[in-house]
Amino acid sequence: MKKILALMMSLIVMFSLVACSSGNTQSDENKHNEQNNTNKGHQDNNKNSNREDLSLKVSRDEKKTITISVLGKHPDFVLAAKEYEKKHPNIKIELKSFASGGGALSALQLEKYVAQTTTEVLSGKGADLFILNDQSLPLDRYIDKNAFVNLNQYIEKDTSFDKSQYYMNILEHSKVNGGLYVLPTHFSLGALIGNQEAISKTGVQIDDRQNWTWDRFTEISKQLKAKGTLDTAMVVSPVGILNPLVFSNENYDQLVDTEKNEAHFDSPFFIDLLERVKKMYDDNVLSDNQVGVMRTTYFTSSPIYSANDYAMRAAIYYQNAANIYDFPHSSEKESGVTFSGYDRYAMNANSTVKMEAWDYLKFLLSYEIQTQSVSGMFPVNIAANEKEFTDVIEGKVENTKGSGGKGGKGGAVTVSEASLEPLKQMISEANTQIRWNEKIRTIIEEESNSYFKGQKSAQSVADIIQNRVMTYLNE
């Protein structure tokens, strides 16, 4: 079992991890066909008539190589490559790693990696596949320059790609400008973990399915404070609320127009986001005072990486007396659950082995590979995810020692099927991708703090952010 600290650090540095060979697991995966509820729009008769089996035909005579650009050559990358090569003796998987050895990279090394990768991607002479996990990479710029293949064309054409085996809502909502240019093989959910014991004592009913906006969250939090005994609804930094709002697909498209290379952070829309976040602190609904975090709050904002991770967080934060809620939205027009894609693959538009590369991507999505991944993330393969749910229910999840819980004491966590049902529902409703851009995120964090501390006006801060983002976009 992974320790909770490692899971929380995986937002910063996460590498794709895949291992083992694929095989016939159709009977297992068919059990979960009904969970795929985002296949609408893919039953067009004309499209179906043009579909064909794009499974790679093995030929021992013609040797080919698939090059894959990675930040770090994790051992599991090597295992996945070897297993694929066993099934396809004529194919060689060449991993081109920027970093050698373990350990975190310095800021200078990361800057060099971003520059090198950007040069390779935009030149069209780089690898056949890119693993793009680092948030510093300007993915929007790559997509705008048509550097990547729209993988949706393979999904729609390939009869060997059975949509019912995957969380198609994750793939559908990972699209940018209508195309799936970066394919995630794993994902996490944005969520609030609720102190169910404290909430129940207040008698306040919470519906996070209808109009679950930050305004509604504020109303609920005020009711909880009035009827309960806890001082604040949640302890989180202002940028911890602002950033997920900015980088959600719908909002980000309003703030950054990648096709025109324009930003709109000086718009009334962004200023309104700033003011609404600050008001929650002014009204004492939220607090950035980290003393007594979790046990003395009604909610904890926390990404959820897996069923195992959720079970441990629930135990650590609120001693198993926890419930999970959607991360609130910025407007009533929005609904569903936020998610972030991980282990993200892009195919070079100039690759000469596109069919082989596509076959490798399908291999990485297979049940066998995803059940043996140690990434600690939800797999896109439904049956692989269900297996982890079953394993967690049937076994014991080790709690960690540290903050949270009663005195931070570790212990065994028993998980029931009923306790995980809300998590399953959230996965099926995930439809709002968080499109992180590390450079823009850093600019927002550096400049917005002066507004939240009352040192500058919202308009002044918005103008500064606008100028800095425009400078970045025009570099």
Side-chain angles (χ1 to χ4, degrees), residues 411-462:
V413 180
T414 302
V415 181
S416 67
E417 185 171 355
S419 68
L420 294 180
E421 279 304 317
L423 184 59
K424 291 184 179 182
Q425 184 176 355
M426 288 184 68
I427 292 174
S428 70
E429 296 177 356
N431 63 359
T432 303
Q433 178 187 203
I434 303 297
R435 289 164 55 187
W436 294 110
N437 181 302
E438 183 65 16
K439 184 67 175 181
I440 296 178
R441 185 203 65 78
T442 300
I443 292 173
I444 292 173
E445 183 166 343
E446 290 175 349
E447 302 299 342
S448 65
N449 279 329
S450 60
Y451 168 65
F452 293 127
K453 292 178 180 179
Q455 299 168 347
K456 293 181 180 178
S457 69
Q459 183 67 63
S460 174
V461 167

Side-chain angles (χ1 to χ4, degrees), residues 199-272:
I199 292 173
S200 297
K201 289 180 180 179
T202 67
V204 175
Q205 300 299 311
I206 301 176
D207 181 0
D208 61 343
R209 293 295 184 266
Q210 298 292 326
N211 299 327
W212 186 234
T213 64
W214 281 108
D215 289 341
R216 179 58 180 158
F217 172 83
T218 298
E219 294 175 9
I220 291 292
S221 297
K222 289 180 177 179
Q223 293 177 33
L224 291 172
K225 288 181 61 179
K227 298 180 179 181
T229 59
L230 302 185
D231 294 331
T232 187
M234 185 162 63
V235 174
V236 60
S237 68
V239 292
I241 300 298
L242 181 62
N243 276 328
L245 293 178
V246 168
F247 291 103
S248 66
N249 248 350
E250 182 176 326
N251 292 349
Y252 189 68
D253 285 340
Q254 293 189 57
L255 295 169
V256 180
D257 188 332
T258 56
E259 294 183 0
K260 295 181 180 180
N261 222 34
E262 294 178 350
H264 304 287
F265 285 94
D266 55 352
S267 64
F269 174 74
F270 180 67
I271 293 173
D272 181 61

Side-chain angles (χ1 to χ4, degrees), residues 21-26 29 87 363 366-368:
S21 63
S22 65
N24 182 11
T25 61
Q26 190 66 38
E29 297 175 60
K87 299 175 73 66
F363 177 74
S366 68
Y367 175 85
E368 291 79 7

Side-chain angles (χ1 to χ4, degrees), residues 211-448:
N211 299 327
W212 186 234
T213 64
W214 281 108
D215 289 341
R216 179 58 180 158
F217 172 83
T218 298
E219 294 175 9
I220 291 292
S221 297
K222 289 180 177 179
Q223 293 177 33
L224 291 172
K225 288 181 61 179
K227 298 180 179 181
T229 59
L230 302 185
D231 294 331
T232 187
M234 185 162 63
V235 174
V236 60
S237 68
V239 292
I241 300 298
L242 181 62
N243 276 328
L245 293 178
V246 168
F247 291 103
S248 66
N249 248 350
E250 182 176 326
N251 292 349
Y252 189 68
D253 285 340
Q254 293 189 57
L255 295 169
V256 180
D257 188 332
T258 56
E259 294 183 0
K260 295 181 180 180
N261 222 34
E262 294 178 350
H264 304 287
F265 285 94
D266 55 352
S267 64
F269 174 74
F270 180 67
I271 293 173
D272 181 61
L273 286 182
L274 285 172
E275 292 175 344
R276 288 166 67 184
V277 170
K278 187 174 186 299
K279 189 175 188 304
M280 286 188 281
Y281 290 88
D282 292 342
D283 291 346
N284 295 318
V285 170
L286 301 180
S287 171
D288 59 359
N289 181 6
Q290 297 298 317
V291 177
V293 66
M294 295 182 291
R295 281 179 292 165
T296 59
T297 63
Y298 289 104
F299 301 97
T300 297
S301 176
S302 176
I304 304 297
Y305 301 113
S306 66
N308 179 23
D309 176 47
Y310 170 61
M312 288 194 292
R313 289 176 189 270
I316 291 174
Y317 293 166
Y318 300 120
Q319 287 293 293
N320 286 324
N323 200 359
I324 188 170
Y325 299 94
D326 295 350
F327 195 82
H329 305 286
S330 60
S331 74
E332 293 182 0
K333 295 179 181 178
E334 299 171 324
S335 62
V337 179
T338 60
F339 73 93
S340 296
Y342 291 91
D343 301 351
R344 303 179 295 179
Y345 288 78
M347 185 188 299
N348 191 332
N350 291 327
S351 171
T352 59
V353 289
K354 290 187 177 70
M355 297 310 301
E356 290 78 8
W358 168 243
D359 196 71
Y360 189 70
L361 292 180
K362 289 190 294 182
F363 177 74
L364 296 177
L365 290 174
S366 68
Y367 175 85
E368 291 79 7
I369 290 293
Q370 297 223 320
T371 51
Q372 298 199 38
S373 169
V374 294
S375 68
M377 297 283 181
F378 292 111
V380 170
N381 186 293
I382 296 174
N385 196 44
E386 285 295 323
K387 181 181 183 301
E388 176 167 349
F389 271 81
T390 300
D391 290 346
V392 171
I393 292 170
E394 293 180 349
K396 295 288 185 179
V397 177
E398 182 184 355
N399 197 352
T400 58
K401 294 181 178 180
S403 63
K406 295 182 178 179
K409 296 179 180 179
V413 180
T414 302
V415 181
S416 67
E417 185 171 355
S419 68
L420 294 180
E421 279 304 317
L423 184 59
K424 291 184 179 182
Q425 184 176 355
M426 288 184 68
I427 292 174
S428 70
E429 296 177 356
N431 63 359
T432 303
Q433 178 187 203
I434 303 297
R435 289 164 55 187
W436 294 110
N437 181 302
E438 183 65 16
K439 184 67 175 181
I440 296 178
R441 185 203 65 78
T442 300
I443 292 173
I444 292 173
E445 183 166 343
E446 290 175 349
E447 302 299 342
S448 65

